[in-house]
Amino acid sequence: MLIHPQSASFDELSVVVPTLIRQPTLRKLAERVQHETLNAVTSPAMYSSYNTSQSARILDSLYQTPIADASILVAITHERHPKLLLTRRAAHMNSHAGEVSCAGGKYEIGDGNNVVTALREACEETALPPNKVQLLGQLPIQTSKSGMSVRPIVALIAPGLVLVPEMGEISRIFWADFEKLLTQPTVEYSVEYTMQDETSTILTPSWQVEGETVWGLTGRVIASLLETGFDRQLEWYYRIQNTRL
């Protein structure tokens, strides 16, 4: 399970009850994400008992979801003006070096489920205590450019937590204004991509946040979050730039 001294076992984790969330944007998000999470359960008949709470059903759904190659924590502060936790990966990393990401990483034997993977990795990378996390649910699987399956776990965290980047993996921790993401237009971003000794320029949507460019898998996760929670439809593409005159 979790290896950090402030860890919490899966059964001790808490799920946010949407009716107890006063901030309207977060309340709507919680309702939609939990609906998505419960709909993904392969055997909904097991939840037919009226004695089963919403929180218990969400935890059961998360526990039974097939294990992905990696999981990330989509952590949003529970406050009047919520913020989304983002990190920039260290420049020396073998994969996604210098790119913006949500805290998270690969599944390890002993994790047992995607939630524990996301919380363990977030704790290792940012010192976020797992017992300070309140779960909302999960988003659909995303696939990284290396072909790994990645499960986003959505959660609320208290504002003002002291987070510290693990400099071996993370060079910066920063925050996106969550409500601004709901309406902020994407900006086309160009990135050089090399395959078989040939380099092309790829165009793709991105967000500009705190001087950082949010694109790729992280951008797709945010787009999925906005579509699930608020029906915001964003075209997400990767297009080779035509350099012919």
Side-chain angles (χ1 to χ4, degrees), residues 60-135:
D60 284 343
S61 300
L62 294 171
Y63 184 77
Q64 294 178 43
T65 298
I67 293 173
D69 297 324
S71 294
I72 59 175
L73 188 66
V74 184
I76 305 165
T77 56
H78 192 176
E79 58 182 325
R80 183 176 179 182
H81 299 292
K83 298 184 289 292
L84 173 66
L85 173 64
L86 293 169
T87 67
R88 184 176 67 218
R89 291 173 61 81
H92 64 264
M93 297 295 289
N94 292 329
S95 62
H96 307 284
E99 295 180 10
V100 172
S101 65
C102 294
K106 293 181 180 179
Y107 171 81
E108 291 184 359
I109 296 175
D111 286 346
N113 57 74
N114 300 311
V115 174
V116 172
T117 299
L119 294 180
R120 174 182 54 74
E121 287 283 346
C123 182
E124 292 174 1
E125 292 179 352
T126 70
L128 172 63
N131 56 12
K132 298 295 184 182
V133 175
Q134 291 185 300
L135 300 171

Side-chain angles (χ1 to χ4, degrees), residues 35 43 52 73 77 97 103 107 115 122 135 137 150 153 167 169 174 187-189 194 208 230 237:
H35 180 74
S43 301
T52 304
L73 188 66
T77 56
Y107 171 81
V115 174
L135 300 171
V150 180
I153 303 298
M167 300 308 290
E169 297 185 48
F174 63 105
V187 177
E188 194 164 69
Y189 176 63
T194 301
Q208 298 299 311
F230 309 99
Y237 57 85

